[in-house]
Every structure is written in C-alpha cells, then in structure tokens.
Amino acid sequence: MNYENIYVADFETTTSEPTSVWLWGLNRLDGDHYEHGDSINQFIDYFIKLRKDIRIYFHNLKFDGSFIVSYLLNNGFIYSENEEPNTFDTLITDMNLWYQITIRAEYPTQKRQKKLFKIKIFDSLKIIPLKIADMPKTFGLPLEKLEMKYDEKKSGTKANEKDLEYQFNDVEILRLSLKFMFDRGIDRMTMSSAAMADLIAEVGEGRFKKLFPVISTNEIFRTDIKGLCDEELRELCADKKLRLAYRGGWTYLKKGLENQILKNITVYDVNSLYPFIMHERVLPYGAPIINQSMDDIENFPLKIIFFSCSFELKEDYLPTIQIKNNLLFNGRDYLESSNQEVVYLSLTNVDFDLFLKHYNVYDIYIEQVYHFRGIKGLFNDYIDKWNEVKERNEKNPGMRFIAKRMNNGVYGKFATNPVRRKREPQLHNGILKFKTLDGEYEPTYYLPVGIFVTSYAREYTIQYAQSHYDDFVYADTDSLHLKNKYDDIPLHQTRLGAFKIEKEFDRARYIRAKRYIGEKNNELIITCAGLPSSCYDQVTFDNFVIGTQYTGKLLQKQVVGGVILEETTFNLQ
C-alpha cells in the first residue's frame, strides 16, 4: 500500500453559531508531510491541487465531515454518484452513521484531455473505536493527548503555539495508531469488514460461498425496496423472516433489586464469549429445509422455529423472552407472562429449549421451521490464530487490541442487513439536513451464523445466572453480577469460555439495564448508558438515584457552517 496517498487530518472549530474551521492539520500516513491552515477552503484546495486519488481519515467523520459537506454544497459541488467533476457523494446511513465522503474533481492533461480524480474521506473511528486520548496506551506511543479550552475559541480565532502543538499532537497520535493498524493489514473501511475479509481468506473464498449461500424462500412479504427481480425478492423475504430470530445479548436486572443498596457484589466476565461460541458450538451452514415439522431431520440438527403460543414464567426462573414491535409489550422488557395473549415468537432450537425450561407454555402452534445443517469447528483455525496472537503479545497492547477485535468482530458481520438506506445531505437555510433515500438490496453474508452465535451466547450466560438464582443480581451479555463467590464457576484469566473476576464491589446500586454504580475501597465504578465520562465527577454513590440530573452532556447540533456541541442535561431514569 502506498502511504504517500493516505492522510490523517483534524479540524478545530468554533463553538458558537455560525461555526467555522479555525485550524486544520494533516499529515501523510508515512509522517513525511505535516501541514496546517486556518480555513476549510484552504484544506479542500490543498487536496484538489494534489491532482491525484487520495484517502483522508478523520477520527469521528460525523463531526468533521459536516463541515466538509456544508462547504461543498455552498461552493458549487453537486451531490451525485455520477463520475463527473465537481460532484460528491456520501455514505451516511439512515441511523446517521457516517462512513465515507467522496469528492470528484478534474485537471487538464498535456494532451488537452481532462483526468478525473477522487478524494475519499473515511472515519478512522470505524477502524479504531477508541478515543484519541486512549490510543497512546493501546499502541505504546510516546505521546499523550494535550488539553485545550474550547470555549475560548470564537469566530476569527487565530492559532497560537499551544494550539498548533495540541493539534499536531492529535494528528500524530492518530497517524501512528492508524499506521500500526495498516502495517498489519487492517485497512478496510471498518474493523468488522477487516475481520470478515481475514476469515474468508482463512476458509477460502470458494469454500466460503458454498458453505454460506444466499438463502431464498417462496414466502413473499411486502417490501418497499424497488426494482428487485424475483430471485432477489425471495432472498430478501428469507432474510426478513430469519431476522426475526436475531437478537443481541441477555442484559437483565433481577426484578425487585432495582434501586437497592446491595453489599459484596462479585462481577464475573466470560473470556471472549462470542469467539468461544464460534469455537465450541455446532453452527449452521448450507441451504435450509423449510417445513412445518419439529421432527428432526438427519444431518440437519439446527432449527429456527416460527410459532405462536401463550406463556407464564415458572417460579424461581429468570425470564428469557422479549417481544418487540408489539404494542402490548415494552420491547426492552424480559417478560414474565404473555398476559394470556397468544403471541408470535421466532426462536432457534437453543432459545426454544431454554424457553420451555423457564416457562409454562400453552397453545403452541408451529407455523414454520427452517432446518439447517450444522458443524462444529468450522471457525477454529481463525479463532485459534487470533487467540494465539493475543496470548503471544502479552506485553504488546496494540496487537492484543487487534486480536481481540478480529475475534469479536466477525460474528456480527454475518448478520449484516442486506437492505441499505442512505441519507442525502442537503442545505436548508444554510444548515445541513438529510433526506433518507430509497432502500437498496445488496446480498451480504449468512445470517443464520449470527443468529445461532448470539443464541448460544445468551444460553451460556443465562444457564450460569439461573444456576445461581438466589444470589443473581444482574447480567450484561458476557458478565454476571452475583452476591457471593462460587467454586463451580470455572475461572481462568485467558481460556476461552472461562470466567474471570472483573470487579468486586463493597456496595452497589442498580437502576436498570446498563445503569449501575459500584464502590470498592471508596472508589466509584460507574456504568451509565447515555452519561458521558466527562460528567462522572458530578456522580456520587448517594446521588446516583432516579431523578438526579447531571449537567454538561454535549450533543451535536447542525448549524450554519457545520456542527457545534450544545450543552444539555442528563436525567437519570
């Protein structure tokens, strides 16, 4: 890879409306060309004058990219995917995730022709999901992030020596971290796509396609995706049906323990839960057999079951079922009862067996069953390779970071949604707004692997929670919070699937899922979804209760010129 055509960059921007770039810095990935300036038009002109295809990385493109797109729309560039000069397009999802900006320009050649070139801008946060401040420790860099008082930077600000030192330092930290990744072949748009590319290379592309074909069905649903041929429609409908069985980790606070002060809590974490499942469980492959029967089929040991029923949780059992997209139920809650309603569920045979164990189930009607072939060990070479890298590099946190991400990132890629909905940026009264475009269908990977990996993972966590029911407090995907320590929980610091004691609390309070506080030797350990770490200095054990408000949370707001960070209040609920 030619590092001369790859750059890292950073903007410093004013903090009030209208906003602007008052300092930019960039460097080539090879570290041989640091430049800085004081306006965004200088920045864009710099790259256009290079007259060649290049790649630029910003850390958090959603922020810096807003200034670039706003500038382009204000300066004669047209949003278009056509290969024409003075156009640009973006890859921004309907969830407002920014992946890429592509700018097209041209220059005259000596033969009086015109040559088109592209400036492609990416988000390094998708490759290195860390704050800049955390990168030096992770990658062993002889640097640390400096500090700047952003609230002093107004329109017309001129950079002083400390400002230039601050930005050079940020750019250098990002450059060295990204180069560390690229030197080791991690150079895709996202970390998960790099992991999947490595897995396909490990399995072999031809074998991978045979093992994991695109699944289709004769069952047709309504879709708003236009222009599909018959085969694409059958594939999309199969994905839509199977996706009903795809769920994330089991995150649950035991009923009755909300907002209580609990003593002597031990937190157990599973080592590499998802890689462990991929290594040790029978996983699906091939085209399914689809019927209405729960009877086993030889060589097809795995099932995804679509059925209706009513249910009640058994006494002293933990709930395992959520029902989403149903007005009768809160989709976040794990249910104790269907309230005598007959409901529709989509479960793997792993989830189904757990369901029957934990609930009294009535009025079962099997609508459809997808039967899959299964195999154990298909991913073992890949998992073993990266696990060995992690263990071999105990004193190299950068390589351990890569190994962990490569092992943990691949399972979710199997569950990539084949429907892509992009957003087109537009200017309204000088402010960026976004129009969601028609969805597009693009076959991706093999969803059943993602479905069964997460299903087995839930079963693994739940079985340990249930076997320690009396002392169980809370679980979050791969962790268990218990009131006591137990000899029957397998402990090991590194072995896949074993637990390690991650934390111990002298006392703790749990508000709800992903919102709790623990204290050990008068030191607080805070987990609170939605509350930024910059607000943690306001948190005490006693004020971490429902209704407490913490100030200083910053939210992005689109304004003329780009984005500012607007202060708001976080209300603990």
Side-chain angles (χ1 to χ4, degrees):
M1 180 179 290
N2 185 359
Y3 287 177
E4 292 182 359
N5 294 328
I6 302 175
Y7 290 77
V8 296
D10 181 47
F11 288 164
E12 304 301 337
T13 61
T14 58
T15 56
S16 58
E17 303 181 44
T19 186
S20 61
V21 175
W22 62 270
L23 176 62
W24 56 264
L26 62 85
N27 204 347
R28 283 201 320 229
L29 197 62
D30 59 14
D32 198 33
H33 203 82
Y34 179 76
E35 296 281 352
H36 64 83
D38 60 10
S39 68
I40 191 168
N41 62 297
Q42 288 178 352
F43 178 83
I44 299 296
D45 286 347
Y46 176 87
F47 288 105
I48 287 179
K49 288 176 182 178
L50 292 179
R51 296 184 171 187
K52 62 178 181 179
D53 293 341
I54 57 164
R55 294 158 66 180
I56 310 169
Y57 287 85
F58 283 89
H59 206 62
N60 190 5
L61 186 60
K62 181 180 177 181
F63 183 87
D64 303 85
S66 295
F67 290 85
I68 293 171
V69 171
S70 182
Y71 173 84
L72 295 172
L73 289 171
N74 275 301
N75 287 273
F77 284 81
I78 299 171
Y79 183 91
S80 172
E81 295 184 0
N82 295 330
E83 297 290 305
E84 297 175 354
N86 299 319
T87 64
F88 78 99
D89 66 74
T90 59
L91 180 49
I92 304 171
T93 71
D94 57 342
M95 302 296 290
N96 205 27
L97 300 175
W98 290 54
Y99 288 90
Q100 182 177 335
I101 303 169
T102 301
I103 304 171
R104 303 175 192 86
E106 67 178 10
Y107 66 91
T109 66
Q110 292 180 347
K111 297 181 179 180
R112 296 184 180 181
Q113 296 176 338
K114 292 185 177 181
K115 182 174 178 59
L116 190 76
F117 63 96
K118 298 178 184 178
I119 302 166
K120 293 186 175 182
I121 306 171
F122 298 95
D123 189 359
S124 55
L125 189 62
K126 303 296 190 297
I127 305 172
I128 309 175
L130 297 172
K131 297 177 181 178
I132 293 287
D134 295 333
M135 291 182 191
K137 181 179 179 180
T138 298
F139 296 105
L141 308 180
L143 298 165
E144 63 179 30
K145 184 171 174 61
L146 305 178
E147 293 185 359
M148 177 187 288
K149 295 183 178 180
Y150 284 98
D151 56 356
E152 297 178 357
K153 305 305 180 183
K154 310 295 183 182
S155 181
T157 292
K158 295 296 182 182
N160 57 39
E161 287 188 12
K162 285 188 176 180
D163 296 332
L164 294 174
E165 181 185 10
Y166 172 89
Q167 184 167 73
F168 174 82
N169 196 69
D170 267 15
V171 170
E172 187 68 358
I173 289 173
L174 179 57
R175 182 188 74 81
L176 292 172
S177 301
L178 201 61
K179 186 174 183 296
F180 186 99
M181 303 292 282
F182 280 27
D183 285 347
R184 289 153 183 83
I186 314 299
D187 58 2
R188 296 295 181 112
M189 186 182 292
T190 67
M191 193 73 193
S192 59
S193 59
M196 179 57 81
D198 191 59
L199 174 64
I200 292 173
E202 190 79 37
V203 175
E205 186 172 359
R207 183 172 178 235
F208 188 92
K209 289 181 178 179
K210 289 181 180 179
L211 288 169
F212 306 120
V214 178
I215 298 172
S216 65
T217 179
N218 291 323
E219 189 178 12
I220 304 300
F221 307 103
R222 280 187 180 179
T223 177
D224 61 350
I225 308 302
K226 301 176 182 177
L228 298 176
C229 68
D230 289 345
E231 183 58 29
E232 289 173 331
L233 181 59
R234 289 194 294 271
E235 292 169 358
L236 179 58
C237 288
D239 181 272
K240 186 175 181 179
K241 183 69 174 282
L242 290 169
R243 199 165 291 277
L244 295 172
Y246 180 58
R247 298 172 181 84
W250 187 66
T251 303
Y252 177 68
L253 172 61
K254 192 176 183 181
K255 186 177 179 180
L257 299 183
E258 304 90 342
N259 307 311
Q260 294 188 18
I261 297 177
L262 306 176
K263 301 291 184 67
N264 301 321
I265 301 299
T266 302
V267 180
Y268 294 87
D269 273 15
V270 184
N271 295 321
S272 304
L273 176 58
Y274 291 122
F276 165 70
I277 295 299
M278 294 183 74
H279 197 279
E280 295 297 325
R281 296 295 186 265
V282 174
L283 293 172
Y285 70 96
I289 293 174
I290 305 172
N291 61 26
Q292 272 189 293
S293 174
M294 288 290 290
D295 293 343
D296 293 337
I297 299 175
E298 187 177 1
N299 298 322
F300 285 75
L302 302 176
K303 302 179 182 75
I304 296 178
I305 307 152
F306 303 92
F307 65 102
S308 59
C309 70
S310 59
F311 59 84
E312 297 285 339
L313 187 67
K314 295 178 181 178
E315 186 176 356
D316 293 338
Y317 275 86
L318 296 167
T320 67
I321 292 296
Q322 291 174 311
I323 297 179
K324 299 182 182 294
N325 303 315
N326 186 320
L327 295 176
L328 297 175
F329 305 97
N330 185 331
R332 293 195 304 265
D333 291 345
Y334 282 92
L335 301 177
E336 295 184 357
S337 171
S338 65
N339 299 325
Q340 298 183 336
E341 296 285 340
V342 173
V343 295
Y344 185 80
L345 297 175
S346 311
L347 304 178
T348 67
N349 57 283
V350 180
D351 289 322
F352 187 81
D353 290 345
L354 198 64
F355 178 54
L356 295 181
K357 180 179 178 181
H358 284 236
Y359 292 86
N360 293 312
V361 183
Y362 313 100
D363 308 314
I364 291 184
Y365 173 74
I366 304 298
E367 178 209 75
Q368 196 172 58
V369 181
Y370 280 59
H371 301 257
F372 289 92
R373 296 180 184 274
I375 189 171
K376 179 182 174 181
L378 182 60
F379 303 110
N380 284 14
D381 288 346
Y382 177 86
I383 299 297
D384 289 343
K385 177 181 74 173
W386 286 110
N387 201 47
E388 181 184 349
V389 169
K390 187 170 75 170
E391 292 185 358
R392 193 173 65 241
N393 286 276
E394 185 176 349
K395 296 182 179 180
N396 186 338
M399 284 307 302
R400 289 180 64 84
F401 170 82
I402 289 176
K404 184 176 180 179
R405 294 287 172 176
M406 292 296 276
N407 256 349
N408 281 291
V410 73
Y411 87 91
K413 198 67 177 174
F414 276 100
T416 301
N417 197 321
V419 175
R420 304 175 67 179
R421 299 184 190 276
K422 295 170 58 176
R423 302 177 79 195
E424 176 187 335
Q426 301 174 342
L427 281 183
H428 291 261
N429 298 320
I431 299 174
L432 274 185
K433 304 292 183 182
F434 300 90
K435 174 186 176 183
T436 300
L437 304 177
D438 291 339
E440 299 175 354
Y441 170 71
E442 181 180 330
T444 50
Y445 300 104
Y446 188 76
L447 176 58
V449 167
I451 292 173
F452 273 91
V453 168
T454 53
S455 179
Y456 281 123
R458 287 190 298 275
E459 178 200 41
Y460 194 75
T461 303
I462 291 169
Q463 70 180 4
Y464 278 100
Q466 182 60 48
S467 65
H468 302 90
Y469 178 86
D470 289 341
D471 285 333
F472 171 75
V473 175
Y474 176 73
D476 189 348
T477 307
D478 60 354
S479 67
L480 289 174
H481 298 223
L482 303 177
K483 293 179 185 177
N484 286 300
K485 293 181 179 178
Y486 285 89
D487 294 335
D488 62 342
I489 295 178
L491 295 180
H492 194 276
Q493 284 300 110
T494 60
R495 190 176 71 243
L496 293 179
F499 289 80
K500 58 177 175 288
I501 296 177
E502 187 69 19
K503 305 180 190 76
E504 294 182 77
F505 301 144
D506 296 326
R507 59 175 181 163
R509 178 187 283 118
Y510 298 78
I511 305 297
R512 61 179 175 86
K514 299 186 182 295
R515 292 187 179 177
Y516 60 89
I517 188 170
E519 185 180 67
K520 180 69 174 178
N521 298 327
N522 296 316
E523 180 181 346
L524 293 181
I525 301 170
I526 302 163
T527 297
C528 188
L531 181 67
S533 58
S534 58
C535 299
Y536 283 4
D537 60 354
Q538 302 173 49
V539 179
T540 68
F541 190 91
D542 291 335
N543 75 19
F544 194 80
V545 293
I546 290 175
T548 300
Q549 293 187 339
Y550 305 105
T551 60
K553 180 177 180 178
L554 300 177
L555 295 178
Q556 289 191 12
K557 178 185 178 182
Q558 291 285 349
V559 299
V560 173
V563 166
I564 61 172
L565 298 176
E566 190 170 56
E567 187 170 315
T568 187
T569 299
F570 177 85
N571 187 21
L572 184 58
Q573 293 181 348

